[in-house]
Coordinates of all heavy atoms in Angstrom, one line a residue:
W93 N -1.4 70.1 204.6 CA -0.5 69.9 203.4 C -1.4 70.1 202.2 O -2.5 69.6 202.1 CB 0.0 68.4 203.4 CG 0.9 68.1 202.3 CD1 0.5 68.0 201.0 CD2 2.3 67.7 202.4 NE1 1.6 67.6 200.2 CE2 2.7 67.4 201.0 CE3 3.2 67.7 203.4 CZ2 4.0 67.1 200.8 CZ3 4.5 67.3 203.1 CH2 4.9 67.0 201.8
V94 N -0.9 70.9 201.3 CA -1.7 71.2 200.0 C -0.9 70.7 198.9 O 0.3 71.2 198.6 CB -2.0 72.7 199.9 CG1 -2.9 72.9 198.7 CG2 -2.6 73.3 201.1
N95 N -1.4 69.7 198.2 CA -0.8 69.3 196.9 C -1.2 70.2 195.8 O -2.3 70.1 195.3 CB -1.2 67.8 196.6 CG -0.3 66.8 197.4 OD1 0.9 67.0 197.5 ND2 -0.9 65.8 197.9
N96 N -0.3 71.1 195.4 CA -0.6 72.2 194.5 C 0.4 72.2 193.3 O 0.3 73.0 192.4 CB -0.6 73.5 195.3 CG -0.7 74.7 194.4 OD1 -1.7 75.0 193.8 ND2 0.4 75.4 194.3
A97 N 1.5 71.4 193.4 CA 2.6 71.5 192.4 C 1.9 71.1 191.0 O 0.9 70.3 191.0 CB 3.7 70.6 192.7
Y98 N 2.6 71.5 190.0 CA 2.0 71.3 188.6 C 3.2 70.8 187.7 O 3.6 71.6 186.8 CB 1.3 72.5 188.1 CG 0.5 72.4 186.8 CD1 -0.2 73.5 186.4 CD2 0.5 71.2 186.1 CE1 -1.0 73.4 185.2 CE2 -0.3 71.2 184.9 CZ -1.0 72.3 184.5 OH -1.7 72.2 183.4
P99 N 3.7 69.6 187.9 CA 4.7 69.1 187.0 C 4.2 68.8 185.6 O 3.0 68.3 185.5 CB 5.2 67.8 187.7 CG 4.1 67.4 188.6 CD 3.3 68.6 188.9
R100 N 4.9 69.0 184.6 CA 4.5 68.6 183.2 C 5.7 68.5 182.3 O 6.7 69.2 182.5 CB 3.4 69.4 182.7 CG 3.6 70.9 182.4 CD 3.1 71.8 183.6 NE 2.7 73.1 183.2 CZ 2.6 74.1 184.0 NH1 2.8 74.0 185.3 NH2 2.2 75.3 183.6
T101 N 5.5 67.7 181.2 CA 6.6 67.5 180.2 C 6.6 68.8 179.3 O 5.7 69.6 179.3 CB 6.3 66.3 179.4 OG1 5.0 66.4 178.8 CG2 6.4 65.0 180.2
N102 N 7.7 68.9 178.6 CA 7.9 70.0 177.7 C 6.8 70.1 176.6 O 6.5 71.1 176.0 CB 9.3 70.0 177.0 CG 10.3 70.4 178.1 OD1 10.0 71.0 179.1 ND2 11.5 69.9 177.9
D103 N 6.3 68.9 176.2 CA 5.3 68.9 175.1 C 3.8 68.9 175.7 O 2.9 68.5 175.0 CB 5.5 67.7 174.2 CG 5.4 66.3 174.9 OD1 5.3 66.3 176.1 OD2 5.5 65.3 174.2
W104 N 3.7 69.3 176.9 CA 2.4 69.3 177.6 C 1.3 70.0 176.7 O 0.2 69.6 176.7 CB 2.6 70.0 178.9 CG 1.4 70.1 179.8 CD1 0.8 71.3 180.3 CD2 0.6 69.0 180.4 NE1 -0.3 71.0 181.1 CE2 -0.4 69.6 181.2 CE3 0.6 67.7 180.3 CZ2 -1.4 68.9 181.9 CZ3 -0.3 66.9 181.0 CH2 -1.3 67.5 181.8
G105 N 1.7 71.0 176.0 CA 0.7 71.8 175.3 C 0.5 71.3 173.9 O -0.1 72.0 173.0
A106 N 0.9 70.1 173.6 CA 0.7 69.6 172.2 C -0.7 69.1 172.0 O -1.4 68.7 172.9 CB 1.7 68.4 172.0
H107 N -1.2 69.2 170.7 CA -2.5 68.6 170.3 C -2.5 67.1 170.6 O -1.5 66.4 170.6 CB -2.7 68.8 168.9 CG -3.1 70.2 168.5 ND1 -4.4 70.7 168.7 CD2 -2.4 71.2 168.0 CE1 -4.4 72.0 168.4 NE2 -3.2 72.3 167.9
L108 N -3.7 66.6 170.9 CA -3.8 65.1 171.2 C -3.1 64.3 170.2 O -2.4 63.3 170.5 CB -5.3 64.9 171.2 CG -5.9 63.5 171.7 CD1 -7.3 63.6 172.2 CD2 -5.8 62.5 170.5
E109 N -3.3 64.6 168.9 CA -2.7 63.8 167.8 C -1.2 63.8 167.9 O -0.6 62.9 167.4 CB -3.1 64.4 166.4 CG -4.6 64.2 166.1 CD -5.5 65.3 166.7 OE1 -4.9 66.2 167.5 OE2 -6.7 65.4 166.4
D110 N -0.6 64.8 168.4 CA 0.9 64.9 168.5 C 1.4 64.6 169.9 O 2.6 64.9 170.2 CB 1.3 66.4 168.1 CG 0.7 66.8 166.8 OD1 0.7 65.9 165.9 OD2 0.3 68.0 166.7
F111 N 0.6 64.1 170.7 CA 1.0 63.8 172.1 C 1.3 62.3 172.2 O 0.4 61.5 172.3 CB -0.2 64.3 173.0 CG 0.2 64.4 174.5 CD1 1.1 65.4 174.9 CD2 -0.4 63.6 175.4 CE1 1.5 65.5 176.2 CE2 -0.1 63.7 176.8 CZ 0.9 64.7 177.2
P112 N 2.6 61.9 172.2 CA 2.9 60.5 172.2 C 2.5 59.8 173.5 O 2.4 60.4 174.6 CB 4.4 60.5 172.0 CG 4.9 61.8 172.4 CD 3.8 62.8 172.2
L113 N 2.3 58.5 173.4 CA 2.0 57.7 174.6 C 3.0 57.9 175.7 O 2.7 57.9 176.9 CB 1.9 56.2 174.3 CG 0.5 55.7 173.9 CD1 0.5 54.2 173.7 CD2 -0.6 56.1 174.9
S114 N 4.3 58.1 175.3 CA 5.4 58.2 176.3 C 5.1 59.5 177.1 O 5.4 59.5 178.3 CB 6.7 58.3 175.6 OG 6.7 59.3 174.7
S115 N 4.6 60.5 176.5 CA 4.3 61.8 177.2 C 3.1 61.6 178.2 O 3.1 62.1 179.3 CB 4.1 62.9 176.3 OG 5.2 63.2 175.5
W116 N 2.1 60.9 177.6 CA 0.9 60.6 178.5 C 1.4 59.9 179.7 O 1.1 60.3 180.9 CB 0.0 59.7 177.7 CG -1.1 59.1 178.5 CD1 -1.0 57.9 179.2 CD2 -2.4 59.5 178.7 NE1 -2.2 57.6 179.9 CE2 -3.1 58.6 179.6 CE3 -3.2 60.6 178.2 CZ2 -4.4 58.7 180.0 CZ3 -4.5 60.8 178.6 CH2 -5.1 59.8 179.5
K117 N 2.2 58.9 179.6 CA 2.7 58.1 180.7 C 3.5 58.9 181.7 O 3.4 58.9 182.9 CB 3.5 56.9 180.2 CG 2.7 55.8 179.6 CD 3.6 54.6 179.2 CE 2.8 53.6 178.4 NZ 3.7 52.6 177.8
S118 N 4.4 59.7 181.1 CA 5.3 60.6 182.0 C 4.4 61.5 182.8 O 4.7 61.7 184.0 CB 6.2 61.4 181.1 OG 7.1 60.6 180.4
N119 N 3.4 62.2 182.1 CA 2.6 63.2 182.9 C 1.8 62.5 184.0 O 1.6 63.1 185.0 CB 1.8 64.0 181.9 CG 2.6 65.0 181.2 OD1 3.1 66.0 181.9 ND2 3.0 64.8 180.0
I120 N 1.2 61.3 183.6 CA 0.4 60.6 184.7 C 1.3 60.3 185.8 O 1.0 60.5 187.0 CB -0.2 59.3 184.1 CG1 -1.1 59.6 182.9 CG2 -0.8 58.5 185.2 CD1 -2.5 60.1 183.2
D121 N 2.5 59.9 185.5 CA 3.5 59.5 186.6 C 3.9 60.7 187.4 O 3.9 60.7 188.6 CB 4.7 58.8 185.9 CG 5.5 58.0 186.9 OD1 4.8 57.4 187.8 OD2 6.7 58.1 186.9
M122 N 4.3 61.8 186.7 CA 4.8 63.0 187.4 C 3.7 63.6 188.3 O 4.0 64.0 189.4 CB 5.3 64.0 186.4 CG 6.5 63.6 185.7 SD 6.7 64.6 184.2 CE 7.4 66.1 184.8
H123 N 2.5 63.8 187.8 CA 1.5 64.5 188.4 C 0.6 63.7 189.3 O 0.6 63.9 190.5 CB 0.6 65.2 187.3 CG -0.2 66.4 187.8 ND1 -0.5 67.4 187.0 CD2 -0.9 66.6 188.9 CE1 -1.3 68.3 187.6 NE2 -1.5 67.8 188.8
L124 N -0.1 62.7 188.7 CA -1.0 61.8 189.6 C -0.2 61.0 190.6 O -0.5 61.0 191.8 CB -1.8 60.9 188.6 CG -2.8 60.0 189.3 CD1 -3.8 60.7 190.2 CD2 -3.6 59.2 188.3
T125 N 0.9 60.3 190.1 CA 1.6 59.5 191.0 C 2.4 60.4 192.0 O 2.6 60.1 193.2 CB 2.6 58.6 190.3 OG1 1.9 57.9 189.3 CG2 3.3 57.6 191.2
G126 N 2.9 61.6 191.5 CA 3.5 62.5 192.4 C 2.6 63.0 193.6 O 3.0 63.1 194.7
Y127 N 1.3 63.3 193.2 CA 0.4 63.6 194.3 C 0.1 62.5 195.2 O 0.1 62.6 196.4 CB -1.0 64.1 193.6 CG -1.1 65.5 193.3 CD1 0.0 66.2 192.7 CD2 -2.2 66.3 193.5 CE1 -0.1 67.5 192.3 CE2 -2.3 67.7 193.2 CZ -1.2 68.3 192.6 OH -1.3 69.6 192.3
Y128 N 0.0 61.2 194.7 CA -0.2 60.1 195.5 C 1.0 59.9 196.5 O 0.8 59.6 197.7 CB -0.4 58.8 194.7 CG -0.4 57.6 195.6 CD1 -1.4 57.5 196.6 CD2 0.6 56.6 195.6 CE1 -1.4 56.4 197.5 CE2 0.6 55.6 196.5 CZ -0.4 55.5 197.4 OH -0.4 54.4 198.3
A129 N 2.2 60.0 195.9 CA 3.4 59.8 196.8 C 3.5 60.8 197.9 O 3.8 60.5 199.1 CB 4.7 60.0 195.9
C130 N 3.1 62.1 197.6 CA 3.0 63.1 198.7 C 1.9 62.7 199.7 O 2.1 62.8 200.9 CB 2.8 64.5 198.1 SG 4.1 65.2 197.2
C131 N 0.8 62.3 199.2 CA -0.3 61.9 200.1 C 0.2 60.7 201.0 O -0.1 60.8 202.2 CB -1.5 61.4 199.3 SG -2.5 62.7 198.5
K132 N 0.8 59.8 200.4 CA 1.2 58.6 201.1 C 2.0 58.9 202.3 O 1.8 58.5 203.4 CB 1.9 57.6 200.2 CG 2.5 56.3 200.8 CD 3.1 55.5 199.7 CE 4.0 54.4 200.2 NZ 3.3 53.3 200.9
H133 N 3.0 59.8 202.1 CA 4.0 60.1 203.2 C 3.4 61.2 204.1 O 3.6 61.0 205.3 CB 5.3 60.5 202.6 CG 6.0 59.3 201.9 ND1 6.5 58.3 202.6 CD2 6.2 59.0 200.6 CE1 7.0 57.4 201.8 NE2 6.8 57.8 200.5
A134 N 2.7 62.2 203.6 CA 2.2 63.2 204.5 C 1.1 62.6 205.4 O 1.0 62.9 206.6 CB 1.7 64.4 203.7
L135 N 0.3 61.8 204.8 CA -0.9 61.2 205.6 C -0.4 60.2 206.6 O -1.0 60.1 207.7 CB -1.9 60.5 204.6 CG -2.6 61.5 203.7 CD1 -3.5 60.8 202.7 CD2 -3.5 62.5 204.5
L136 N 0.7 59.5 206.3 CA 1.3 58.6 207.3 C 1.7 59.4 208.6 O 1.5 59.0 209.7 CB 2.5 57.9 206.7 CG 3.0 56.7 207.5 CD1 1.9 55.7 207.8 CD2 4.2 56.1 206.8
Q137 N 2.3 60.6 208.3 CA 2.8 61.5 209.4 C 1.5 61.9 210.2 O 1.5 61.9 211.4 CB 3.6 62.6 208.8 CG 3.9 63.7 209.8 CD 4.7 63.3 211.1 OE1 5.4 62.3 211.0 NE2 4.5 63.9 212.2
M138 N 0.5 62.3 209.4 CA -0.8 62.8 210.1 C -1.4 61.7 210.9 O -2.0 62.0 212.0 CB -1.7 63.4 209.1 CG -1.2 64.7 208.5 SD -2.3 65.3 207.2 CE -1.5 66.8 206.7
K139 N -1.4 60.5 210.4 CA -2.0 59.4 211.1 C -1.2 59.2 212.4 O -1.9 59.0 213.5 CB -1.8 58.1 210.2 CG -2.3 56.8 210.9 CD -1.9 55.6 210.1 CE -2.1 54.3 210.9 NZ -1.6 53.1 210.3

Side-chain angles (χ1 to χ4, degrees):
W93 181 291
V94 185
N95 276 320
N96 169 74
Y98 190 174
R100 61 262 210 198
T101 54
N102 290 334
D103 60 355
W104 180 239
H107 284 281
L108 186 155
E109 293 83 354
D110 305 322
F111 195 64
L113 267 187
S114 56
S115 296
W116 167 278
K117 287 180 185 170
S118 297
N119 282 289
I120 299 282
D121 198 39
M122 292 161 77
H123 197 150
L124 179 56
T125 310
Y127 272 43
Y128 172 64
C130 289
C131 285
K132 180 175 161 71
H133 292 287
L135 291 172
L136 192 58
Q137 171 59 27
M138 291 177 180
K139 175 189 169 191

